[in-house]
Amino acid sequence: MEVIRAAIEKQVLSLTGLALGGIDFENPAGDPGLFGPQSVTWQVHGDFTSMLCGGVSALLLQMLHPLALAGVWDHSNFREDMLGRLRRTSQFISVTTFGPSAEAQRLIAKVKAIHLQVNGTDNNGQPYAASDPHLLTWVHVAESSRFLASHLRYRNPHLSLAQQDTYYREAARVAEALGARDVPKSCAAVDDYLHQMRPQLVCDERTLEVARILLAAPAPSTLARPFGALVMQAGIDLLPDWAQQQLGFTPGATRRRCVRIGVGGVGRVLRASVRNGSYHRAVRRMNKSISTQC
């Protein structure tokens, strides 16, 4: 059984930012990072399965904004390396959530510097810049709202409204550190923001091409292929109904039910198998401090 557990864990970690290396989540002892173990952000971001499903959903939602899409289209190698893009995004989220404070700040500064180089015009001639505060807010809200939706569906449907609002307030700190402005910080504010943004969202040939590439992204192994397909369908299912319709997705009730049952079952297996994810390493970092004090 231990051999099977270790094999599953190896496959899981190969999908995450940990596969990129270079970050020590277990030191320095006692460093709480940007949020700390008592935060709602640690709760929401601590489950691999729900975060992966939410991440896929976030990318699909983000690409409905023509300027966000243009930045990815012009400056990303997603066509050749979708898995690499997912890993890099995963690394940023895991480090800013669970990493030591210095590493989190370093990565934020690195991403800000990259954003300054991402400029251009979309296919309608509209100028864009990845450092645009309003565009950063859109990317953040699309991401955080899908993470929370996935957490509520697959990990803890009983998370209180007050805790959900706290999550948005906490998550806004990273967005603001990147340069986002007027970031909504409650469930009600996020709902209002998404409603206000809908007239600006577009699904065109480029949007559909990015969605196609994302949904066809190769799994890191044959073993992971069925799980990858399930996660992609879960990402679609987590989109707001209006976004699914705009993207042309029409999953029926039976498919939705099968996807949710499947993800729920897989999630239980993965939680029992993964012991060395970013969350687990961060917990060990905090426990080192407790052991030293004792």
Side-chain angles (χ1 to χ4, degrees):
M1 291 298 292
E2 175 56 26
V3 173
I4 295 174
R5 185 207 66 77
I8 293 173
E9 180 176 54
K10 182 178 179 181
Q11 291 294 315
V12 168
L13 298 187
S14 74
L15 294 169
T16 73
L18 289 172
L20 301 176
I23 305 293
D24 182 1
F25 284 86
E26 300 197 35
N27 292 290
D31 185 339
L34 300 185
F35 299 104
Q38 304 306 315
S39 66
V40 181
T41 300
W42 272 43
Q43 290 184 52
V44 174
H45 292 186
D47 180 58
F48 169 78
T49 305
S50 60
M51 284 294 286
L52 190 55
C53 295
V56 169
S57 193
L59 285 172
L60 291 169
L61 185 57
Q62 287 166 354
M63 293 303 99
L64 286 173
H65 194 301
L67 301 186
L69 173 65
V72 171
W73 189 271
D74 295 341
H75 296 271
S76 172
N77 66 340
F78 72 95
R79 300 171 188 81
E80 299 80 27
D81 188 23
M82 180 58 78
L83 183 58
R85 175 176 169 80
L86 292 172
R87 284 171 174 158
R88 290 188 294 275
T89 301
S90 170
Q91 183 186 64
F92 180 80
I93 294 164
S94 63
V95 172
T96 53
T97 303
F98 301 115
S101 302
E103 290 288 1
Q105 297 291 355
R106 180 185 67 80
L107 208 53
I108 288 171
K110 178 181 177 181
V111 170
K112 287 183 71 175
I114 292 172
H115 283 171
L116 292 175
Q117 303 171 35
V118 178
N119 304 277
T121 56
D122 70 6
N123 57 351
N124 292 316
Q126 180 74 18
Y128 68 81
S131 58
D132 177 357
H134 299 295
L135 196 56
L136 287 166
T137 298
W138 164 252
V139 170
H140 164 74
V141 172
E143 182 177 88
S144 58
S145 66
R146 294 312 92 201
F147 287 156
L148 183 56
S150 190
H151 181 78
L152 292 169
R153 178 168 296 167
Y154 293 117
R155 190 67 183 105
N156 181 14
H158 305 295
L159 192 72
S160 71
L161 183 59
Q163 289 175 303
Q164 294 175 47
D165 286 346
T166 297
Y167 170 69
Y168 281 126
R169 287 197 301 273
E170 292 174 354
R173 290 164 49 194
V174 174
E176 290 170 343
L178 288 171
R181 294 293 178 268
D182 302 319
V183 180
K185 298 176 183 178
S186 70
C187 293
V190 166
D191 288 344
D192 287 344
Y193 174 83
L194 290 173
H195 179 73
Q196 293 168 13
M197 289 297 295
R198 284 183 61 182
Q200 301 180 39
L201 307 181
V202 175
C203 181
D204 58 16
E205 291 182 4
R206 282 185 169 188
T207 317
L208 294 175
E209 176 68 5
V210 172
R212 185 195 65 77
I213 293 172
L214 173 62
L215 298 178
S221 71
T222 302
L223 182 64
R225 193 171 299 144
F227 172 65
L230 183 64
V231 165
M232 296 302 172
Q233 292 304 310
I236 292 171
D237 186 34
L238 284 164
L239 287 167
D241 289 343
W242 54 264
Q244 291 186 39
Q245 293 167 9
Q246 195 165 8
L247 286 161
F249 296 129
T250 56
T254 300
R255 173 178 286 189
R256 289 177 185 271
R257 184 163 58 252
C258 290
V259 166
R260 295 178 189 186
I261 292 172
V263 173
V266 169
R268 287 189 289 273
V269 172
L270 297 188
R271 286 178 208 116
S273 301
V274 178
R275 301 175 183 174
N276 291 288
S278 302
Y279 167 79
H280 306 88
R281 299 180 191 201
V283 169
R284 290 198 288 266
R285 184 179 77 240
M286 298 305 298
N287 287 342
K288 284 181 182 180
S289 175
I290 295 173
S291 299
T292 301
Q293 291 173 9
C294 293

